[in-house]
Amino acid sequence: MTITRAECVALDASDPLKHLRDEFSLPDGTIYLVGNSLGAPPKAAVAAVTRTVEEEWGGRLVGGWNASGWYDLPLTTGDRIAPLIGVGPGQVAVGESTSIAIVKAVTAALSLRPGRRVIVSDRANFPTDHYMVQGLVKALDGYEIRDIAGLGDLAGVLADDVACVLMSEVDYRTGARHDTAEVTAAVQAAGALMIWDLCHSAGAFQVDMSVADFAIGCTYKYLNAGPGSPAYIYVHPRHQAGAEHMLTGWHGHAEPFAFEPGFRPAEGIRRFTVSTPHVLSYAPLNASLDIWERVDLAELRAKSVALTSLFIELVEEFCAPYDLALLSPRDPERRGSQVSFRHPDGYPVMRALIDRGVHGDFRAPDVLRFGFAPLYIRHVDVYDAAVALAEVLREEHWRDERYRRRLAVT
Ligand SMILES: *Cc1c(COP(=O)(O)O)cnc(C)c1O
């Protein structure tokens, strides 16, 4: 045996981030390894939402737009996300969803590269990223998508007709992490612009977007802002004056309250806002960012690497006789905060595991995904999860018919 449960408990006792687990609500008896899909709620979210409804909305009514800072929430909240992705103030705007942020980033990039008609999208991208680009190409005249099947193909397609490249820093299925500095440099050397999707990066480790052109991401995964919380977009300062995206809503206007007939873009990052912010959704997001402000991101990464490495080691030891194959990179440097295994009966295996209190998720066709949110996952959780997975496989609990019926959301 490589490590005992008691040794895991001891590791948790000396974990510099251990006090942060207390700041989150987690149901008893649940090992929650799905923080890469929907983060757990900060306990302070409840009071934050109540305060917004009672004091700001109830107390000030429409006056809240000025007196409670609602109008500026996309920018003030963006400035709080900026340090997590390695950029400065005035470079991040919050709002809408990731899919909508992709439309903003891609059309802004196209406006900066007139004459270049190709959008490169990685086939490994999360489907919505791909779908949104497909919709854009259909709606805009004369553009095309050039698919690549992973990084290996990138150099071969970077011709002088490429306007932009859209890729995820961390692959949502495999957890593989790309070298953003190296890829960005190659794309920029070809005269194209780089757009990074950070959905599985921000809050998983220190991200550095300082040289990237654009980045987008959601806040409901590792950033714990709740279901449907707003997304964000980063735009490098060198592009802010020139880029014009297609979602020209009134909040991105230079003078929204002049009610002019024509659209004139605002200066700076404000032009990347679209419309009335979802004020109630910003309350849990800012409650979560109160916690993130106190997180040492080097400690976060060290713990993430320790948890994911431990999980791989234990699963490979406990589950050796069964049909599991590691899909994530073995080298922690090349991994996000997620571990994926393949199993031919992945769906029922995951359902049986969830029934035993260990929550991961399933991605077609055969991937078991486990996310490790370092703020609230402990070494002992990793140990217990590996034991439970081995039991489900050994006892063949997953063969039960009821685990085969697909639920709407996997
Ligand atoms: C979760 C996720 C999305 C989600 O997009 P929404 O518009 O917020 O539903 C997009 N891209 C990636 C890479 C994701 O992981």
Side-chain angles (χ1 to χ4, degrees):
M1 170 109 36
T2 42
I3 187 170
T4 64
R5 190 173 190 281
E7 283 165 341
C8 289
V9 171
L11 285 172
D12 291 325
S14 59
D15 169 13
L17 299 174
K18 68 177 175 190
H19 56 288
L20 294 173
R21 180 177 163 90
D22 253 2
E23 308 232 11
F24 293 89
S25 292
L26 290 159
D28 286 340
T30 296
I31 297 178
Y32 190 66
L33 305 181
V34 203
N36 56 333
S37 182
L38 178 68
K43 288 176 181 165
V46 179
V49 173
T50 303
R51 192 169 55 246
T52 305
V53 173
E54 290 185 353
E55 294 174 28
E56 299 185 3
W57 182 15
R60 299 178 188 132
L61 297 167
V62 74
W65 287 107
N66 290 312
S68 302
W70 293 345
Y71 176 62
D72 285 325
L73 274 175
L75 309 189
T76 54
T77 311
D79 282 350
R80 304 187 72 196
I81 291 175
L84 299 173
I85 63 170
V87 304
Q91 300 175 19
V92 178
V94 174
E96 299 83 38
S97 63
T98 316
S99 304
I100 300 301
I102 287 168
V103 172
K104 290 191 269 187
V106 171
T107 56
L110 297 180
S111 79
L112 293 167
R113 289 293 179 272
R116 291 181 172 234
R117 317 298 286 179
V118 174
I119 303 160
V120 173
S121 175
D122 187 351
R123 229 173 285 161
N125 278 342
F126 190 85
T128 201
D129 299 39
H130 234 34
Y131 300 160
M132 295 309 282
V133 175
Q134 287 167 11
L136 276 176
V137 164
K138 227 177 180 177
L140 304 172
D141 203 27
Y143 288 93
E144 65 175 272
I145 306 177
R146 198 168 287 160
D147 278 359
I148 54 170
L151 251 193
D153 288 353
L154 186 60
V157 301
L158 281 177
D160 63 6
D161 56 357
V162 174
C164 59
V165 177
L166 172 61
M167 285 184 75
S168 286
E169 179 171 18
V170 175
D171 185 303
Y172 78 102
R173 287 176 69 249
T174 66
R177 177 187 181 186
H178 298 307
D179 182 333
T180 56
E182 194 180 301
V183 177
T184 301
V187 167
Q188 291 173 344
L193 298 169
M194 187 66 213
I195 305 168
W196 286 107
D197 185 327
L198 305 177
C199 281
H200 289 273
S201 317
F205 49 82
Q206 172 74 69
V207 174
D208 181 4
M209 285 293 111
S210 55
V211 297
D213 299 292
F214 298 91
I216 47 105
C218 65
T219 60
Y220 51 77
K221 291 173 182 162
Y222 291 100
L223 297 183
N224 313 304
S229 61
Y232 59 88
I233 180 168
Y234 153 74
V235 183
H236 194 284
R238 71 176 166 268
H239 298 315
Q240 289 183 9
E244 298 200 359
H245 66 88
M246 72 180 282
L247 300 179
T248 49
W250 69 310
H251 279 237
H253 193 284
E255 287 184 82
F257 292 91
F259 294 103
E260 293 172 5
F263 183 81
R264 275 191 300 126
E267 290 299 310
I269 193 70
R270 189 183 285 283
R271 73 168 58 184
F272 291 88
T273 66
V274 178
S275 57
T276 308
H278 301 100
V279 172
L280 296 185
S281 293
Y282 281 76
L285 172 53
N286 276 299
S288 174
L289 292 169
D290 289 343
I291 299 173
W292 280 103
E293 233 161 44
R294 291 181 273 125
V295 175
D296 177 324
L297 294 174
E299 286 174 356
L300 181 87
R301 177 64 177 161
K303 184 172 176 194
S304 162
V305 166
L307 296 177
T308 54
S309 301
L310 178 63
F311 189 65
I312 292 172
E313 191 182 327
L314 292 176
V315 168
E316 289 191 332
E317 182 182 330
F318 298 165
C319 305
Y322 316 112
D323 262 349
L324 280 179
L326 180 66
L327 179 62
S328 301
R330 205 170 281 282
D331 173 4
E333 276 312 301
R334 294 197 44 238
R335 229 173 29 229
S337 202
Q338 165 191 329
V339 175
S340 302
F341 285 95
R342 307 178 66 179
H343 186 282
D345 290 287
Y347 185 75
V349 168
M350 184 53 81
R351 289 284 306 282
L353 188 62
I354 291 170
D355 245 9
R356 281 150 189 84
V358 177
H359 293 245
D361 65 11
F362 171 78
R363 288 292 172 262
D366 58 358
V367 179
L368 301 163
R369 285 199 319 176
F370 301 92
F372 298 85
L375 300 191
Y376 51 80
I377 299 301
R378 301 166 298 189
H379 295 78
V380 74
D381 298 323
V382 171
Y383 190 92
D384 292 344
V387 168
L389 179 57
E391 190 186 292
V392 163
L393 293 169
R394 186 176 57 246
E395 308 292 334
E396 302 196 350
H397 294 305
W398 57 271
R399 288 195 189 275
D400 193 321
E401 256 325 291
R402 72 198 147 122
Y403 295 135
R404 298 201 166 264
R405 275 192 302 277
R406 296 279 170 119
L407 301 174
V409 175
T410 61

